[in-house]
Amino acid sequence: MKYWQPVEITDKTFYNTRLGPLQILLVKELNELKISESRLTEEEMIEEDWEQISRKAEKCDPLDSSNWKRWIVPEEPLKLKFIPVMPDRPVVVRPESAIQILPGNKTRFFVSIPVWVRIATEKDETLTDIPTLIPSNTWFGEPLTGELCYAVKSKTITNFEHRKVKVYTAICPIFIENHSPSNFFFRRISIHTEFLGIYAGQKHLWTNQLDVKIEGDDQKSYIDFSESAPEIEKISGQLSAPREVPTKKLYRKMFADLPFIKG
């Protein structure tokens, strides 16, 4: 988890950092900070999923490129923090196949969600949030009462111990209990990531656990967001707080058995 340590940006020194497919380049000139982002293709990615490199700027470097985003900052050396945060919209994931939970049964799924990288100052002033992957848009729910989400390619698994988890994703555990009188069937899961924080484990990033109870003939979903990371792996601390603070329990549409519409 050393990727998330603060770094110092000095004048005319390039700082290049990569997390999975995302590449971020920073350079500072006096009181101006420039940041650019790009992404590798699957063919360009190597086995090592992250790296951090600093080097002095050279005459051939594109300091005046139009691809830069620019900020006015103090002239002295600037210390910046890289922080993993959840997406700014709910995400919709699709299990490998449709799932049914019999009445009175329960299970726990693990969903890997690509994180966004927040660049912030020592004073926790946010400069920008950058997604590691560019997500596609999708609509979840009814045409008039649904909501705009991101569609995320992620396998919904019940055991992650022997699966390779990408370093740019956070594992979201979802515990589901079917208290309704009939089979509970779904093909899609909508996860309200705005209510999830991110925690540093020994090997992985984790979010809070979602405890979901399916109740009644209409199979409503009652969602409880835990206040900390699950006790699956030793946690060294919280890296980011939720974008929004949830109520203790929440009723939201979370499951669907119809395909979603991508945009």
Side-chain angles (χ1 to χ4, degrees):
M1 293 299 135
K2 60 182 179 179
Y3 180 88
W4 306 110
Q5 300 301 313
V7 297
E8 187 172 83
I9 309 297
T10 56
D11 270 10
K12 294 191 176 181
T13 297
F14 274 115
Y15 182 79
N16 185 25
T17 181
R18 182 171 64 83
L19 184 66
L22 173 64
Q23 292 191 117
I24 300 173
L25 185 64
L26 303 93
V27 66
K28 182 177 176 295
E29 292 184 283
L30 298 177
N31 69 335
E32 185 175 73
L33 175 70
K34 299 179 182 181
I35 301 176
S36 69
E37 62 180 270
S38 60
R39 285 165 187 82
L40 300 173
T41 64
E42 289 187 8
E43 292 75 19
E44 292 172 327
M45 289 179 64
I46 57 176
E47 186 175 346
E48 193 67 44
D49 276 319
W50 62 269
E51 66 180 357
Q52 294 169 312
I53 300 173
S54 293
R55 65 175 177 83
K56 283 289 184 184
E58 299 174 359
K59 289 184 179 180
C60 60
D61 287 325
L63 292 178
D64 298 320
S65 170
S66 60
N67 293 326
W68 295 107
K69 295 178 182 178
R70 302 159 68 189
W71 286 262
I72 301 302
V73 296
E75 288 194 13
E76 58 265 22
L78 185 65
K79 187 166 283 189
L80 296 177
K81 297 191 290 186
F82 292 82
I83 305 166
V85 295
M86 283 281 97
D88 60 356
R89 255 189 242 160
V91 300
V92 175
V93 296
R94 177 181 179 178
E96 294 168 301
S97 58
I99 295 173
Q100 293 193 59
I101 304 176
L102 299 180
N105 281 266
K106 56 190 176 182
T107 187
R108 180 162 60 181
F109 295 109
F110 297 94
V111 179
S112 295
I113 302 174
V115 302
W116 292 37
V117 176
R118 172 170 293 169
I119 302 177
T121 67
E122 279 189 292
K123 297 178 180 179
D124 290 322
E125 300 160 323
T126 298
L127 300 180
T128 184
D129 288 354
I130 305 174
T132 51
L133 298 176
I134 299 295
S136 58
N137 296 321
T138 186
W139 189 261
F140 185 84
E142 301 298 327
L144 296 179
T145 60
E147 57 189 338
L148 186 63
C149 303
Y150 292 125
V152 172
K153 292 182 179 180
S154 175
K155 293 182 178 179
T156 304
I157 58 177
T158 55
N159 188 337
F160 73 94
E161 291 181 1
H162 302 295
R163 297 285 187 108
K164 180 176 174 57
V165 179
K166 294 181 173 63
V167 296
Y168 56 90
T169 64
I171 303 171
C172 177
I174 304 174
F175 184 73
I176 306 174
E177 298 178 84
N178 183 8
H179 291 191
S180 75
S182 56
N183 290 2
F184 181 62
F185 174 85
F186 63 94
R187 288 194 182 98
R188 305 286 187 273
I189 305 175
S190 171
I191 303 174
H192 281 266
T193 52
E194 67 268 32
F195 300 128
L196 298 176
I198 297 182
Y199 302 82
Q202 290 179 309
K203 296 180 180 179
H204 310 295
L205 297 176
W206 293 88
T207 74
N208 319 61
Q209 178 167 294
L210 277 64
D211 295 309
V212 184
K213 290 184 179 179
I214 310 301
E215 298 183 349
D217 293 332
D218 54 359
Q219 297 191 327
K220 289 185 177 179
S221 303
Y222 293 90
I223 310 165
D224 190 2
F225 294 84
S226 66
E227 296 180 356
S228 60
E231 295 181 359
I232 298 172
E233 188 176 280
K234 185 177 179 181
I235 301 298
S236 60
Q238 186 177 30
L239 296 176
S240 64
R243 292 179 183 267
E244 297 182 28
V245 178
T247 56
K248 183 61 178 174
K249 289 190 178 180
L250 190 70
Y251 167 63
R252 288 283 180 94
K253 183 177 177 63
M254 187 174 174
F255 302 94
D257 59 2
L258 297 174
F260 52 78
I261 302 171
K262 287 187 178 181

